Amino acid sequence: ELIRHKTGLVIDPYFSASKIRWILDNVPLAKKLLSEDNLCVGTVDTYLIYRLTNGKSFVTDYTNASRTMLCNIHTGEWDEELLKILEIPRQILPEIKSSSEIYGSFECMGSELTVAGIAGDQQSALFGQACFEAGEAKNTYGTGCFMLMNTGDRVILPKQGLLATVGWQIGDKASYVLEGSVFVCGAVIQWLRDGLGMIQKASDTE
């Protein structure tokens, strides 16, 4: 209940926190690097920006941070109580930024390029479908199926079945969403075809 209230999520290995704890418990090199104060942990966006900027920018945005089960979506910060419960040191986590600002730059084929936008996949799909107002929603189908509805500047904590999360943050203004997730959608079609051999091609499911 504490995690649901603070993060809008349910306890699930789909999110980052338990994976980080497992790595710290089971990977000797991670333990060694942590003892040397030389360990960084982040989501895919953190890794890409860190590599693109040659280690100068160790950041994530509010949308990706909100999917770790460690970020308090009411404050937009790493939650000290959750970090303590899971025994995850704050210093190994990236700085949380907005979804639209300059995070760093890198050189590519003689030109300097800036990295100026970060968003989680479902949140960027919501934004890309122009669901900018509270009550607007999108549904996308891929490996999984995800319905997101913009709830504006209000965090709505559902009693069961749905998640509350961050849609985006531009400047100091955040938009929040309700999310319904089906983790396996398109992958079922692939399994019917490649795993069970029940169909020859995806269109056979029509």
Tab-separated table of all heavy atoms in Angstrom, residues 113-179:
chain	number	residue	atom	x	y	z
A	113	LEU	N	25.475	17.882	-31.708
A	113	LEU	CA	24.047	17.648	-31.547
A	113	LEU	C	23.690	17.679	-30.066
A	113	LEU	O	24.483	17.259	-29.222
A	113	LEU	CB	23.659	16.287	-32.131
A	113	LEU	CG	24.024	16.046	-33.598
A	113	LEU	CD1	23.623	14.640	-34.017
A	113	LEU	CD2	23.362	17.073	-34.496
A	114	THR	N	22.504	18.174	-29.757
A	114	THR	CA	22.052	18.208	-28.368
A	114	THR	C	20.987	17.145	-28.132
A	114	THR	O	20.202	16.812	-29.027
A	114	THR	CB	21.468	19.587	-28.002
A	114	THR	OG1	20.420	19.912	-28.909
A	114	THR	CG2	22.538	20.662	-28.050
A	115	VAL	N	20.975	16.618	-26.928
A	115	VAL	CA	19.914	15.721	-26.487
A	115	VAL	C	18.947	16.580	-25.693
A	115	VAL	O	19.318	17.159	-24.671
A	115	VAL	CB	20.468	14.582	-25.605
A	115	VAL	CG1	19.347	13.621	-25.232
A	115	VAL	CG2	21.585	13.841	-26.320
A	116	ALA	N	17.702	16.685	-26.167
A	116	ALA	CA	16.792	17.665	-25.578
A	116	ALA	C	15.396	17.120	-25.290
A	116	ALA	O	14.469	17.889	-25.077
A	116	ALA	CB	16.687	18.882	-26.500
A	117	GLY	N	15.252	15.807	-25.283
A	117	GLY	CA	13.945	15.246	-24.948
A	117	GLY	C	14.071	13.819	-24.466
A	117	GLY	O	14.853	13.046	-25.015
A	118	ILE	N	13.342	13.492	-23.403
A	118	ILE	CA	13.298	12.119	-22.892
A	118	ILE	C	11.847	11.823	-22.516
A	118	ILE	O	11.178	12.663	-21.912
A	118	ILE	CB	14.140	11.918	-21.610
A	118	ILE	CG1	15.551	12.481	-21.734
A	118	ILE	CG2	14.199	10.444	-21.230
A	118	ILE	CD1	16.336	12.439	-20.416
A	119	ALA	N	11.371	10.641	-22.852
A	119	ALA	CA	10.055	10.206	-22.378
A	119	ALA	C	9.966	8.691	-22.491
A	119	ALA	O	10.551	8.100	-23.402
A	119	ALA	CB	8.930	10.854	-23.177
A	120	GLY	N	9.259	8.082	-21.563
A	120	GLY	CA	9.002	6.657	-21.640
A	120	GLY	C	8.164	6.325	-22.862
A	120	GLY	O	7.507	7.198	-23.445
A	121	ASP	N	8.159	5.070	-23.277
A	121	ASP	CA	7.522	4.717	-24.544
A	121	ASP	C	6.022	4.977	-24.558
A	121	ASP	O	5.499	5.584	-25.499
A	121	ASP	CB	7.847	3.275	-24.943
A	121	ASP	CG	7.445	2.250	-23.889
A	121	ASP	OD1	7.070	2.648	-22.769
A	121	ASP	OD2	7.493	1.050	-24.182
A	122	GLN	N	5.305	4.550	-23.529
A	122	GLN	CA	3.859	4.747	-23.544
A	122	GLN	C	3.480	6.214	-23.343
A	122	GLN	O	2.511	6.709	-23.928
A	122	GLN	CB	3.189	3.865	-22.475
A	122	GLN	CG	3.379	2.384	-22.711
A	122	GLN	CD	3.012	1.958	-24.115
A	122	GLN	OE1	1.999	2.403	-24.667
A	122	GLN	NE2	3.811	1.089	-24.720
A	123	GLN	N	4.265	6.916	-22.529
A	123	GLN	CA	4.003	8.340	-22.326
A	123	GLN	C	4.237	9.128	-23.615
A	123	GLN	O	3.470	10.032	-23.955
A	123	GLN	CB	4.891	8.886	-21.209
A	123	GLN	CG	4.573	8.317	-19.839
A	123	GLN	CD	5.426	7.108	-19.477
A	123	GLN	OE1	5.838	6.330	-20.337
A	123	GLN	NE2	5.705	6.953	-18.199
A	124	SER	N	5.298	8.777	-24.342
A	124	SER	CA	5.564	9.488	-25.601
A	124	SER	C	4.500	9.153	-26.642
A	124	SER	O	4.157	9.993	-27.481
A	124	SER	CB	6.972	9.154	-26.134
A	124	SER	OG	7.124	7.776	-26.378
A	125	ALA	N	3.936	7.939	-26.569
A	125	ALA	CA	2.829	7.601	-27.476
A	125	ALA	C	1.593	8.438	-27.151
A	125	ALA	O	0.896	8.918	-28.049
A	125	ALA	CB	2.500	6.113	-27.377
A	126	LEU	N	1.329	8.642	-25.859
A	126	LEU	CA	0.208	9.488	-25.447
A	126	LEU	C	0.413	10.914	-25.944
A	126	LEU	O	-0.504	11.538	-26.488
A	126	LEU	CB	0.078	9.477	-23.921
A	126	LEU	CG	-1.102	10.246	-23.331
A	126	LEU	CD1	-2.420	9.527	-23.609
A	126	LEU	CD2	-0.920	10.440	-21.819
A	127	PHE	N	1.623	11.422	-25.784
A	127	PHE	CA	1.945	12.775	-26.234
A	127	PHE	C	1.872	12.851	-27.763
A	127	PHE	O	1.333	13.805	-28.325
A	127	PHE	CB	3.355	13.148	-25.753
A	127	PHE	CG	3.666	14.615	-25.856
A	127	PHE	CD1	3.371	15.489	-24.824
A	127	PHE	CD2	4.276	15.131	-26.993
A	127	PHE	CE1	3.655	16.837	-24.915
A	127	PHE	CE2	4.566	16.482	-27.107
A	127	PHE	CZ	4.255	17.339	-26.059
A	128	GLY	N	2.394	11.827	-28.422
A	128	GLY	CA	2.395	11.799	-29.884
A	128	GLY	C	1.000	11.736	-30.481
A	128	GLY	O	0.775	12.214	-31.596
A	129	GLN	N	0.056	11.162	-29.732
A	129	GLN	CA	-1.333	11.121	-30.182
A	129	GLN	C	-2.101	12.388	-29.773
A	129	GLN	O	-3.325	12.456	-29.905
A	129	GLN	CB	-2.042	9.878	-29.618
A	129	GLN	CG	-1.514	8.559	-30.152
A	129	GLN	CD	-1.791	8.363	-31.629
A	129	GLN	OE1	-2.766	8.873	-32.158
A	129	GLN	NE2	-0.921	7.643	-32.310
A	130	ALA	N	-1.345	13.395	-29.284
A	130	ALA	CA	-1.905	14.719	-28.950
A	130	ALA	C	-2.970	14.661	-27.858
A	130	ALA	O	-3.939	15.419	-27.883
A	130	ALA	CB	-2.452	15.408	-30.194
A	131	CYS	N	-2.790	13.761	-26.904
A	131	CYS	CA	-3.726	13.672	-25.771
A	131	CYS	C	-3.249	14.623	-24.665
A	131	CYS	O	-2.802	14.196	-23.598
A	131	CYS	CB	-3.818	12.241	-25.266
A	131	CYS	SG	-4.447	11.079	-26.492
A	132	PHE	N	-3.345	15.904	-24.941
A	132	PHE	CA	-2.779	16.921	-24.058
A	132	PHE	C	-3.724	17.336	-22.936
A	132	PHE	O	-3.296	17.949	-21.963
A	132	PHE	CB	-2.397	18.168	-24.864
A	132	PHE	CG	-1.444	17.900	-25.996
A	132	PHE	CD1	-1.648	18.469	-27.241
A	132	PHE	CD2	-0.341	17.075	-25.818
A	132	PHE	CE1	-0.774	18.227	-28.290
A	132	PHE	CE2	0.540	16.822	-26.859
A	132	PHE	CZ	0.319	17.399	-28.108
A	133	GLU	N	-5.018	17.021	-23.068
A	133	GLU	CA	-6.007	17.483	-22.089
A	133	GLU	C	-6.484	16.327	-21.214
A	133	GLU	O	-6.528	15.176	-21.648
A	133	GLU	CB	-7.214	18.095	-22.819
A	133	GLU	CG	-6.877	19.241	-23.751
A	133	GLU	CD	-6.292	20.433	-23.020
A	133	GLU	OE1	-6.680	20.657	-21.852
A	133	GLU	OE2	-5.449	21.140	-23.616
A	134	ALA	N	-6.854	16.648	-19.974
A	134	ALA	CA	-7.402	15.642	-19.063
A	134	ALA	C	-8.614	14.975	-19.691
A	134	ALA	O	-9.470	15.644	-20.288
A	134	ALA	CB	-7.778	16.295	-17.738
A	135	GLY	N	-8.677	13.655	-19.593
A	135	GLY	CA	-9.791	12.888	-20.151
A	135	GLY	C	-9.494	12.290	-21.512
A	135	GLY	O	-10.200	11.389	-21.955
A	136	GLU	N	-8.442	12.778	-22.190
A	136	GLU	CA	-8.077	12.214	-23.489
A	136	GLU	C	-7.217	10.969	-23.290
A	136	GLU	O	-6.392	10.914	-22.379
A	136	GLU	CB	-7.346	13.258	-24.330
A	136	GLU	CG	-8.236	14.430	-24.692
A	136	GLU	CD	-7.544	15.477	-25.538
A	136	GLU	OE1	-6.302	15.596	-25.450
A	136	GLU	OE2	-8.237	16.189	-26.283
A	137	ALA	N	-7.423	9.975	-24.152
A	137	ALA	CA	-6.757	8.679	-23.969
A	137	ALA	C	-6.293	8.108	-25.295
A	137	ALA	O	-6.786	8.483	-26.361
A	137	ALA	CB	-7.708	7.696	-23.291
A	138	LYS	N	-5.341	7.196	-25.209
A	138	LYS	CA	-4.880	6.470	-26.396
A	138	LYS	C	-4.733	4.999	-26.032
A	138	LYS	O	-4.576	4.625	-24.875
A	138	LYS	CB	-3.544	7.034	-26.898
A	138	LYS	CG	-2.347	6.796	-25.985
A	138	LYS	CD	-1.656	5.454	-26.200
A	138	LYS	CE	-0.609	5.185	-25.134
A	138	LYS	NZ	-0.133	3.791	-25.164
A	139	ASN	N	-4.789	4.169	-27.043
A	139	ASN	CA	-4.543	2.741	-26.876
A	139	ASN	C	-3.533	2.326	-27.937
A	139	ASN	O	-3.704	2.654	-29.112
A	139	ASN	CB	-5.849	1.960	-27.059
A	139	ASN	CG	-5.828	0.634	-26.333
A	139	ASN	OD1	-5.371	0.552	-25.211
A	139	ASN	ND2	-6.331	-0.400	-26.972
A	140	THR	N	-2.464	1.654	-27.537
A	140	THR	CA	-1.480	1.177	-28.512
A	140	THR	C	-1.302	-0.327	-28.362
A	140	THR	O	-1.410	-0.880	-27.269
A	140	THR	CB	-0.111	1.877	-28.320
A	140	THR	OG1	0.286	1.807	-26.941
A	140	THR	CG2	-0.174	3.334	-28.735
A	141	TYR	N	-1.020	-0.962	-29.496
A	141	TYR	CA	-0.868	-2.409	-29.551
A	141	TYR	C	0.521	-2.748	-30.067
A	141	TYR	O	0.947	-2.238	-31.098
A	141	TYR	CB	-1.910	-3.022	-30.494
A	141	TYR	CG	-3.335	-2.759	-30.083
A	141	TYR	CD1	-3.996	-1.629	-30.550
A	141	TYR	CD2	-3.996	-3.630	-29.232
A	141	TYR	CE1	-5.314	-1.385	-30.178
A	141	TYR	CE2	-5.303	-3.394	-28.854
A	141	TYR	CZ	-5.959	-2.268	-29.326
A	141	TYR	OH	-7.241	-2.018	-28.953
A	142	GLY	N	1.209	-3.600	-29.346
A	142	GLY	CA	2.522	-4.063	-29.769
A	142	GLY	C	2.764	-5.391	-29.098
A	142	GLY	O	1.886	-6.255	-29.078
A	143	THR	N	3.951	-5.578	-28.544
A	143	THR	CA	4.208	-6.771	-27.729
A	143	THR	C	3.152	-6.868	-26.647
A	143	THR	O	2.589	-7.917	-26.368
A	143	THR	CB	5.613	-6.691	-27.106
A	143	THR	OG1	6.567	-6.546	-28.151
A	143	THR	CG2	5.922	-7.945	-26.312
A	144	GLY	N	2.879	-5.708	-26.002
A	144	GLY	CA	1.793	-5.594	-25.037
A	144	GLY	C	0.739	-4.646	-25.565
A	144	GLY	O	0.805	-4.176	-26.700
A	145	CYS	N	-0.259	-4.368	-24.743
A	145	CYS	CA	-1.323	-3.432	-25.091
A	145	CYS	C	-1.486	-2.467	-23.927
A	145	CYS	O	-1.604	-2.892	-22.773
A	145	CYS	CB	-2.609	-4.209	-25.325
A	145	CYS	SG	-4.069	-3.175	-25.511
A	146	PHE	N	-1.460	-1.170	-24.212
A	146	PHE	CA	-1.465	-0.178	-23.147
A	146	PHE	C	-2.469	0.934	-23.442
A	146	PHE	O	-2.413	1.570	-24.494
A	146	PHE	CB	-0.065	0.433	-22.985
A	146	PHE	CG	0.980	-0.584	-22.642
A	146	PHE	CD1	1.670	-1.250	-23.642
A	146	PHE	CD2	1.267	-0.886	-21.321
A	146	PHE	CE1	2.634	-2.200	-23.330
A	146	PHE	CE2	2.223	-1.832	-21.001
A	146	PHE	CZ	2.911	-2.489	-22.002
A	147	MET	N	-3.385	1.139	-22.496
A	147	MET	CA	-4.308	2.267	-22.581
A	147	MET	C	-3.894	3.287	-21.521
A	147	MET	O	-3.754	2.938	-20.341
A	147	MET	CB	-5.749	1.834	-22.350
A	147	MET	CG	-6.729	3.006	-22.328
A	147	MET	SD	-8.449	2.497	-22.164
A	147	MET	CE	-8.816	2.084	-23.863
A	148	LEU	N	-3.683	4.520	-21.949
A	148	LEU	CA	-3.334	5.600	-21.041
A	148	LEU	C	-4.340	6.727	-21.197
A	148	LEU	O	-4.718	7.074	-22.323
A	148	LEU	CB	-1.930	6.145	-21.327
A	148	LEU	CG	-0.762	5.454	-20.609
A	148	LEU	CD1	-0.559	4.042	-21.132
A	148	LEU	CD2	0.522	6.260	-20.783
A	149	MET	N	-4.776	7.289	-20.039
A	149	MET	CA	-5.670	8.440	-20.054
A	149	MET	C	-5.040	9.585	-19.275
A	149	MET	O	-4.596	9.400	-18.132
A	149	MET	CB	-7.024	8.106	-19.442
A	149	MET	CG	-8.007	9.262	-19.537
A	149	MET	SD	-9.613	8.917	-18.775
A	149	MET	CE	-9.220	9.129	-17.042
A	150	ASN	N	-4.974	10.740	-19.883
A	150	ASN	CA	-4.447	11.939	-19.249
A	150	ASN	C	-5.383	12.358	-18.112
A	150	ASN	O	-6.589	12.478	-18.299
A	150	ASN	CB	-4.341	13.048	-20.308
A	150	ASN	CG	-3.632	14.278	-19.817
A	150	ASN	OD1	-3.653	14.605	-18.630
A	150	ASN	ND2	-2.997	14.999	-20.730
A	151	THR	N	-4.820	12.562	-16.912
A	151	THR	CA	-5.620	13.050	-15.777
A	151	THR	C	-5.210	14.466	-15.378
A	151	THR	O	-5.516	14.927	-14.284
A	151	THR	CB	-5.502	12.103	-14.562
A	151	THR	OG1	-4.138	12.018	-14.136
A	151	THR	CG2	-6.023	10.721	-14.892
A	152	GLY	N	-4.491	15.144	-16.278
A	152	GLY	CA	-4.105	16.530	-16.018
A	152	GLY	C	-3.100	16.643	-14.891
A	152	GLY	O	-2.171	15.842	-14.785
A	153	ASP	N	-3.292	17.614	-14.013
A	153	ASP	CA	-2.329	17.832	-12.933
A	153	ASP	C	-2.683	17.063	-11.659
A	153	ASP	O	-2.121	17.294	-10.603
A	153	ASP	CB	-2.200	19.330	-12.621
A	153	ASP	CG	-3.523	19.968	-12.204
A	153	ASP	OD1	-4.539	19.239	-12.104
A	153	ASP	OD2	-3.539	21.189	-11.975
A	154	ARG	N	-3.632	16.136	-11.772
A	154	ARG	CA	-4.071	15.339	-10.616
A	154	ARG	C	-3.532	13.918	-10.692
A	154	ARG	O	-3.640	13.253	-11.721
A	154	ARG	CB	-5.598	15.271	-10.552
A	154	ARG	CG	-6.281	16.601	-10.301
A	154	ARG	CD	-7.793	16.448	-10.404
A	154	ARG	NE	-8.303	15.434	-9.482
A	154	ARG	CZ	-9.291	14.586	-9.772
A	154	ARG	NH1	-9.864	14.613	-10.957
A	154	ARG	NH2	-9.702	13.716	-8.881
A	155	VAL	N	-2.968	13.448	-9.577
A	155	VAL	CA	-2.610	12.040	-9.444
A	155	VAL	C	-3.845	11.319	-8.921
A	155	VAL	O	-4.333	11.609	-7.820
A	155	VAL	CB	-1.435	11.836	-8.461
A	155	VAL	CG1	-1.160	10.345	-8.277
A	155	VAL	CG2	-0.197	12.555	-8.945
A	156	ILE	N	-4.383	10.402	-9.714
A	156	ILE	CA	-5.543	9.613	-9.285
A	156	ILE	C	-5.063	8.202	-8.991
A	156	ILE	O	-4.577	7.508	-9.887
A	156	ILE	CB	-6.637	9.603	-10.372
A	156	ILE	CG1	-7.142	11.030	-10.628
A	156	ILE	CG2	-7.798	8.693	-9.959
A	156	ILE	CD1	-8.126	11.145	-11.771
A	157	LEU	N	-5.179	7.782	-7.749
A	157	LEU	CA	-4.719	6.456	-7.354
A	157	LEU	C	-5.890	5.476	-7.426
A	157	LEU	O	-6.798	5.542	-6.601
A	157	LEU	CB	-4.146	6.482	-5.939
A	157	LEU	CG	-2.838	7.258	-5.764
A	157	LEU	CD1	-2.457	7.331	-4.290
A	157	LEU	CD2	-1.716	6.615	-6.568
A	158	PRO	N	-5.903	4.588	-8.404
A	158	PRO	CA	-7.006	3.625	-8.528
A	158	PRO	C	-6.926	2.572	-7.435
A	158	PRO	O	-5.856	2.285	-6.901
A	158	PRO	CB	-6.761	3.009	-9.909
A	158	PRO	CG	-5.288	3.138	-10.122
A	158	PRO	CD	-4.874	4.406	-9.430
A	159	LYS	N	-8.066	1.983	-7.111
A	159	LYS	CA	-8.081	0.977	-6.057
A	159	LYS	C	-7.482	-0.341	-6.540
A	159	LYS	O	-6.811	-1.030	-5.810
A	159	LYS	CB	-9.511	0.760	-5.554
A	159	LYS	CG	-10.082	1.972	-4.819
A	159	LYS	CD	-11.330	1.594	-4.050
A	159	LYS	CE	-11.957	2.791	-3.361
A	159	LYS	NZ	-11.053	3.519	-2.486
A	160	GLN	N	-7.742	-0.707	-7.777
A	160	GLN	CA	-7.182	-1.964	-8.279
A	160	GLN	C	-7.177	-1.964	-9.803
A	160	GLN	O	-7.922	-1.234	-10.431
A	160	GLN	CB	-7.982	-3.169	-7.771
A	160	GLN	CG	-9.430	-3.181	-8.240
A	160	GLN	CD	-10.188	-4.377	-7.683
A	160	GLN	OE1	-9.755	-5.023	-6.756
A	160	GLN	NE2	-11.327	-4.677	-8.278
A	161	GLY	N	-6.269	-2.760	-10.357
A	161	GLY	CA	-6.274	-2.994	-11.797
A	161	GLY	C	-5.505	-1.995	-12.633
A	161	GLY	O	-4.912	-2.362	-13.634
A	162	LEU	N	-5.522	-0.718	-12.262
A	162	LEU	CA	-4.845	0.307	-13.043
A	162	LEU	C	-3.646	0.856	-12.288
A	162	LEU	O	-3.503	0.657	-11.083
A	162	LEU	CB	-5.810	1.459	-13.360
A	162	LEU	CG	-7.070	1.114	-14.150
A	162	LEU	CD1	-7.943	2.348	-14.295
A	162	LEU	CD2	-6.719	0.535	-15.504
A	163	LEU	N	-2.794	1.565	-13.034
A	163	LEU	CA	-1.640	2.226	-12.445
A	163	LEU	C	-1.792	3.731	-12.607
A	163	LEU	O	-2.395	4.209	-13.562
A	163	LEU	CB	-0.347	1.783	-13.150
A	163	LEU	CG	-0.049	0.291	-13.196
A	163	LEU	CD1	1.206	0.035	-14.021
A	163	LEU	CD2	0.108	-0.286	-11.793
A	164	ALA	N	-1.220	4.468	-11.674
A	164	ALA	CA	-1.074	5.918	-11.837
A	164	ALA	C	0.387	6.178	-12.160
A	164	ALA	O	1.276	5.557	-11.576
A	164	ALA	CB	-1.470	6.646	-10.554
A	165	THR	N	0.634	7.059	-13.106
A	165	THR	CA	2.019	7.337	-13.471
A	165	THR	C	2.133	8.745	-14.043
A	165	THR	O	1.146	9.473	-14.134
A	165	THR	CB	2.547	6.264	-14.456
A	165	THR	OG1	3.958	6.363	-14.557
A	165	THR	CG2	1.924	6.406	-15.826
A	166	VAL	N	3.347	9.114	-14.406
A	166	VAL	CA	3.613	10.449	-14.937
A	166	VAL	C	3.523	10.412	-16.458
A	166	VAL	O	4.112	9.541	-17.106
A	166	VAL	CB	5.016	10.934	-14.502
A	166	VAL	CG1	5.314	12.310	-15.077
A	166	VAL	CG2	5.110	10.961	-12.982
A	167	GLY	N	2.790	11.347	-17.041
A	167	GLY	CA	2.689	11.430	-18.489
A	167	GLY	C	3.876	12.161	-19.083
A	167	GLY	O	4.527	11.683	-20.006
A	168	TRP	N	4.189	13.327	-18.540
A	168	TRP	CA	5.353	14.116	-18.951
A	168	TRP	C	5.489	15.287	-18.005
A	168	TRP	O	4.574	15.595	-17.239
A	168	TRP	CB	5.216	14.620	-20.394
A	168	TRP	CG	3.929	15.331	-20.679
A	168	TRP	CD1	3.593	16.627	-20.359
A	168	TRP	CD2	2.782	14.786	-21.328
A	168	TRP	NE1	2.328	16.920	-20.762
A	168	TRP	CE2	1.801	15.812	-21.368
A	168	TRP	CE3	2.493	13.543	-21.887
A	168	TRP	CZ2	0.549	15.616	-21.935
A	168	TRP	CZ3	1.245	13.362	-22.454
A	168	TRP	CH2	0.290	14.374	-22.479
A	169	GLN	N	6.635	15.896	-18.036
A	169	GLN	CA	6.849	17.152	-17.329
A	169	GLN	C	7.524	18.124	-18.280
A	169	GLN	O	8.572	17.818	-18.844
A	169	GLN	CB	7.715	16.974	-16.077
A	169	GLN	CG	7.915	18.273	-15.318
A	169	GLN	CD	8.798	18.113	-14.098
A	169	GLN	OE1	9.131	17.009	-13.696
A	169	GLN	NE2	9.209	19.220	-13.512
A	170	ILE	N	6.910	19.281	-18.476
A	170	ILE	CA	7.487	20.334	-19.301
A	170	ILE	C	7.631	21.567	-18.427
A	170	ILE	O	6.646	22.041	-17.853
A	170	ILE	CB	6.608	20.617	-20.536
A	170	ILE	CG1	6.516	19.354	-21.407
A	170	ILE	CG2	7.164	21.786	-21.339
A	170	ILE	CD1	5.596	19.458	-22.589
A	171	GLY	N	8.857	22.050	-18.284
A	171	GLY	CA	9.123	23.093	-17.305
A	171	GLY	C	8.902	22.509	-15.918
A	171	GLY	O	9.370	21.417	-15.617
A	172	ASP	N	8.140	23.212	-15.094
A	172	ASP	CA	7.857	22.669	-13.763
A	172	ASP	C	6.441	22.111	-13.665
A	172	ASP	O	5.949	21.816	-12.576
A	172	ASP	CB	8.070	23.746	-12.696
A	172	ASP	CG	7.183	24.972	-12.915
A	172	ASP	OD1	6.424	24.997	-13.902
A	172	ASP	OD2	7.261	25.896	-12.082
A	173	LYS	N	5.772	21.940	-14.824
A	173	LYS	CA	4.396	21.441	-14.833
A	173	LYS	C	4.351	19.986	-15.292
A	173	LYS	O	4.812	19.658	-16.386
A	173	LYS	CB	3.518	22.297	-15.752
A	173	LYS	CG	2.055	21.866	-15.733
A	173	LYS	CD	1.212	22.728	-16.649
A	173	LYS	CE	-0.235	22.251	-16.644
A	173	LYS	NZ	-1.085	23.016	-17.584
A	174	ALA	N	3.796	19.134	-14.442
A	174	ALA	CA	3.679	17.711	-14.771
A	174	ALA	C	2.243	17.372	-15.130
A	174	ALA	O	1.296	17.957	-14.604
A	174	ALA	CB	4.132	16.861	-13.591
A	175	SER	N	2.083	16.443	-16.056
A	175	SER	CA	0.784	15.849	-16.369
A	175	SER	C	0.837	14.388	-15.965
A	175	SER	O	1.850	13.717	-16.185
A	175	SER	CB	0.472	15.969	-17.863
A	175	SER	OG	0.234	17.312	-18.223
A	176	TYR	N	-0.260	13.905	-15.398
A	176	TYR	CA	-0.316	12.537	-14.892
A	176	TYR	C	-1.298	11.710	-15.711
A	176	TYR	O	-2.137	12.255	-16.426
A	176	TYR	CB	-0.712	12.537	-13.408
A	176	TYR	CG	0.282	13.278	-12.559
A	176	TYR	CD1	0.106	14.628	-12.266
A	176	TYR	CD2	1.413	12.640	-12.062
A	176	TYR	CE1	1.033	15.319	-11.502
A	176	TYR	CE2	2.338	13.320	-11.301
A	176	TYR	CZ	2.152	14.660	-11.020
A	176	TYR	OH	3.071	15.342	-10.275
A	177	VAL	N	-1.188	10.396	-15.588
A	177	VAL	CA	-2.064	9.511	-16.361
A	177	VAL	C	-2.508	8.323	-15.524
A	177	VAL	O	-1.875	7.965	-14.528
A	177	VAL	CB	-1.359	8.981	-17.641
A	177	VAL	CG1	-0.941	10.097	-18.554
A	177	VAL	CG2	-0.166	8.105	-17.298
A	178	LEU	N	-3.608	7.725	-15.961
A	178	LEU	CA	-4.014	6.399	-15.511
A	178	LEU	C	-3.649	5.427	-16.620
A	178	LEU	O	-3.824	5.732	-17.803
A	178	LEU	CB	-5.516	6.338	-15.261
A	178	LEU	CG	-6.028	6.893	-13.934
A	178	LEU	CD1	-7.554	6.883	-13.919
A	178	LEU	CD2	-5.490	6.088	-12.761
A	179	GLU	N	-3.156	4.265	-16.234
A	179	GLU	CA	-2.704	3.288	-17.235
A	179	GLU	C	-3.293	1.919	-16.967
A	179	GLU	O	-3.290	1.428	-15.834
A	179	GLU	CB	-1.179	3.189	-17.216
A	179	GLU	CG	-0.634	2.119	-18.144
A	179	GLU	CD	0.880	2.018	-18.110
A	179	GLU	OE1	1.543	3.032	-17.867
A	179	GLU	OE2	1.397	0.903	-18.322
